[in-house]
Amino acid sequence: SPHELTDTNFELQRKIEGYLVYRNKLYLPRVYFITDDSKPEIGPTITYYSPDRIVVDATSKKRRRLVLAQVYNKGWYAYLDGKEKVLVQERPDALTQVDIKDNISFVEFKYMPESAARGRLLTGLTILLLMAGLIFKLVKQGTRGFKINDFI
């Protein structure tokens, strides 16, 4: 910042060419554990990220809560070690949280909203109906042949 900050949550680190570089004491990483006394604990890391799938290396020898710093959405599902489905919860601060068991290596989050499943179903049914209509038209014409314009 070119200006001095007075907020106690910012700690001056250095001055570079007339700019002041601060460390935000409230910063938390994209993913972290929450301890039993509700304090953040840095440790887990994101190993894969895409819009509909996130894999977190959450190696843990004990039960804990894992927080993913993204806004909660009920379309997300979580799997411990990619197998056991666990409940994805909304935290009071609107972030995403899952409770993990001991001896877990990773947590896989998958985004599968109901609307997308309905869309795939409707698309599949539409394709089937179009194919059935095409087959019906071909059978009805029999051996008299057909032209490509008959189907357009």
Side-chain angles (χ1 to χ4, degrees):
S1 170
H3 307 286
E4 185 174 334
L5 302 179
T6 57
D7 188 321
T8 58
N9 292 318
F10 294 101
E11 181 180 295
L12 181 62
Q13 298 294 297
R14 68 184 87 140
K15 187 174 184 177
I16 302 173
E17 297 179 12
Y19 289 93
L20 304 170
V21 179
Y22 291 91
R23 181 179 70 86
N24 182 348
K25 295 177 185 178
L26 299 177
Y27 166 80
L28 291 172
R30 182 74 199 274
V31 62
Y32 54 92
F33 291 121
I34 291 289
T35 62
D36 291 335
D37 56 354
S38 296
K39 292 185 180 175
E41 184 179 295
I42 297 171
T45 57
I46 295 176
T47 58
Y48 179 83
Y49 182 87
S50 71
D52 60 352
R53 183 171 172 255
I54 301 170
V55 179
V56 176
D57 177 358
T59 304
S60 178
K61 301 294 181 205
K62 59 183 179 180
R63 291 179 156 283
R64 8 172 79 166
R65 287 174 281 168
L66 178 81
V67 176
L68 181 61
Q70 82 172 20
V71 176
Y72 170 83
N73 183 297
K74 64 181 177 180
W76 283 96
Y77 296 87
Y79 302 87
L80 302 179
D81 287 337
K83 299 172 190 162
E84 183 183 346
K85 188 174 181 178
V86 292
L87 178 67
V88 176
Q89 304 164 49
E90 180 178 11
R91 291 176 39 86
D93 57 5
L95 297 180
T96 302
Q97 172 181 299
V98 294
D99 293 327
I100 63 172
K101 297 178 178 180
D102 52 352
N103 298 318
I104 294 299
S105 297
F106 68 95
V107 179
E108 182 176 15
F109 292 88
K110 293 181 181 180
Y111 186 62
M112 299 179 287
E114 289 182 24
S115 59
R118 283 193 299 267
R120 285 191 296 272
L121 176 66
L122 288 174
T123 300
L125 289 173
T126 301
I127 290 170
L128 285 174
L129 286 172
L130 288 171
M131 290 175 64
L134 178 63
I135 291 169
F136 177 76
K137 191 166 187 172
L138 288 172
V139 169
K140 184 178 174 186
Q141 284 186 342
T143 57
R144 62 183 177 113
F146 63 91
K147 298 178 196 145
I148 194 69
N149 290 339
D150 292 342
F151 300 101
I152 299 177

